[in-house]
Amino acid sequence: MSFNDDPRRYEHLSAIRLEDPDAVARAAAARRRHPGLKYGTQNFIVAADHPARGALSVGADPVAMADRRTLLDRLLLALANPAVDGVLASPDIMDDLLLLGALEGKLVFGSMNRGGLAGLVNEIDDRFTGHTAAALEALGADGGKMLTRICLGDPDTASILEATAKAVDSLAERKLIAMVEPFLSVREANGKVHNDLSPDAVIKSVAIAQGLGSTSAYTWMKLPVVAEMERVMAATTLPTVLLGGDPDAGQDEVFASWQAALALPGVQGLTVGRTLLYPADGDVAGAVATAASLLKTPEPLKTPEPLKTPEPLKTPAKVSE
């Protein structure tokens, strides 16, 4: 799929930011909100907060997400599909989308902690360097997302659990959703951090993460699709969205795994980024449309059949004496 290659196509965003930075707040205030969440109608949210953590790679390309213009092209194409309910983004990308008028009627989730940069020596200490709950409330957002990596061999885990709990409370005070993305993580001998995606590890991460904060009334889970998802989803009653990650499997296999997981109780939809924005075949619109087709929507009410007019009662025959 070809995109507009004019290097000046988003130059007006730079001009607005320079001359009229308050335009972001005005655009947020004027934005039409999403009509509201309903159980039984699964939601489709596009994730675009990877660059803020220094995670620019997709597949074998280490800088696939480096060009902001191309990323915005792909986001606008995805958000143009009416089946896409919203976006999860870091403040910089969120502000661009607001200025572009791309979030009308959409769900908006801000990315709260991006301090655990990919490859950082203390990557587990994922500090809250993005949206705050107060900023999300001012933007008219629906909630905030936080990555919560739990590494039992790293003392920084205690601080990230505490920070996540405080963020959950801060969002709940404002009646905003706390989308918590937990992983049980392991630091290898070379210092690299990887997430344990075995069913038991994911279940353990859910058990820990859903207990953070003084209330879970506004908490959602954001979970990877792994083996034995029935067991994983049995571990929580919280609304859950599925993440896509940067899969090694083929696209058809990925979509099939999503479809199976979306059929489970409690799964409220997809929050997917790189898999759809940078598909192997380059067809962003096609990948988004295929993912949208997997979501559950309420079946239309059937028109009742018209009542039949009862036949007139027959006069009973006289009984012979």
Side-chain angles (χ1 to χ4, degrees):
M1 179 173 292
S2 61
F3 292 97
N4 183 352
D5 59 359
D6 180 358
R8 296 185 176 277
R9 62 191 181 278
Y10 295 114
E11 189 176 20
H12 64 292
L13 296 179
S14 300
I16 294 171
R17 288 173 174 278
L18 178 69
E19 298 177 355
D20 186 17
D22 287 343
V24 173
R26 292 198 305 272
R31 183 181 71 87
R32 176 170 48 87
R33 299 286 297 273
H34 186 273
L37 299 162
K38 301 242 180 233
Y39 189 78
T41 300
Q42 291 179 322
N43 298 111
F44 188 176
I45 299 162
V46 175
D49 62 341
H50 305 87
R53 201 174 71 82
L56 302 175
S57 66
V58 179
D61 185 350
V63 292
M65 300 186 75
D67 190 316
R68 180 53 53 89
R69 297 165 301 184
T70 301
L71 176 57
L72 289 174
D73 289 341
R74 292 166 183 265
L75 281 168
L76 292 177
L77 189 56
L79 289 165
N81 187 320
V84 175
D85 294 287
V87 70
L88 159 63
S90 53
D92 54 325
I93 295 175
M94 185 83 75
D95 293 347
D96 278 343
L97 294 174
L98 284 168
L99 292 173
L100 290 166
L103 301 180
E104 291 300 304
K106 302 294 187 182
L107 291 168
V108 170
F109 288 88
S111 188
M112 301 182 76
N113 63 325
R114 297 279 81 186
L117 304 181
L120 188 67
V121 64
N122 58 336
E123 185 175 343
I124 295 299
D125 187 11
D126 202 343
R127 301 192 183 189
F128 282 66
T129 57
H131 283 113
T132 63
L136 291 170
E137 181 181 38
L139 280 174
D142 297 278
K145 169 254 184 177
M146 56 214 76
L147 175 61
T148 307
R149 286 171 292 183
I150 303 159
C151 182
L152 300 181
D154 193 317
D156 284 328
T157 293
S159 63
I160 187 60
L161 292 178
E162 182 181 26
T164 300
K166 289 179 178 178
V168 168
D169 285 347
S170 188
L171 290 164
E173 287 170 5
R174 295 167 170 83
K175 302 186 186 303
L176 297 178
I177 296 164
M179 186 187 288
V180 184
E181 181 181 3
F183 289 100
L184 210 64
S185 301
V186 178
R187 187 179 292 279
E188 299 173 353
N190 62 5
K192 187 175 180 180
V193 174
H194 77 269
N195 299 322
D196 186 343
L197 298 181
S198 65
D200 285 348
V202 176
I203 289 168
K204 187 170 185 175
S205 75
V206 171
I208 295 167
Q210 66 187 349
L212 296 173
S214 59
T215 178
S216 64
Y218 292 90
T219 303
W220 289 15
M221 290 286 102
K222 181 173 182 271
L223 300 178
V225 178
V226 298
E228 301 179 46
M229 278 302 290
E230 296 88 349
R231 287 181 58 219
V232 172
M233 288 308 302
T236 185
T237 57
L238 301 182
T240 298
V241 290
L242 308 174
L243 63 94
D246 188 10
D248 296 324
Q251 198 170 66
D252 290 343
E253 186 178 340
V254 170
F255 285 143
S257 69
W258 291 355
Q259 185 171 32
L262 285 164
L264 297 173
V267 176
Q268 185 58 29
L270 296 169
T271 301
V272 182
R274 290 170 291 182
T275 307
L276 300 180
L277 295 175
Y278 295 85
D281 62 3
D283 186 1
V284 177
V288 170
T290 300
S293 71
L294 306 178
L295 300 173
K296 288 189 297 186
T297 55
E299 294 183 6
L301 294 175
K302 294 181 179 178
T303 304
E305 294 182 6
L307 295 175
K308 293 182 179 179
T309 304
E311 296 181 5
L313 294 175
K314 295 181 180 179
T315 304
K318 290 184 180 181
V319 178
S320 300
E321 294 181 357

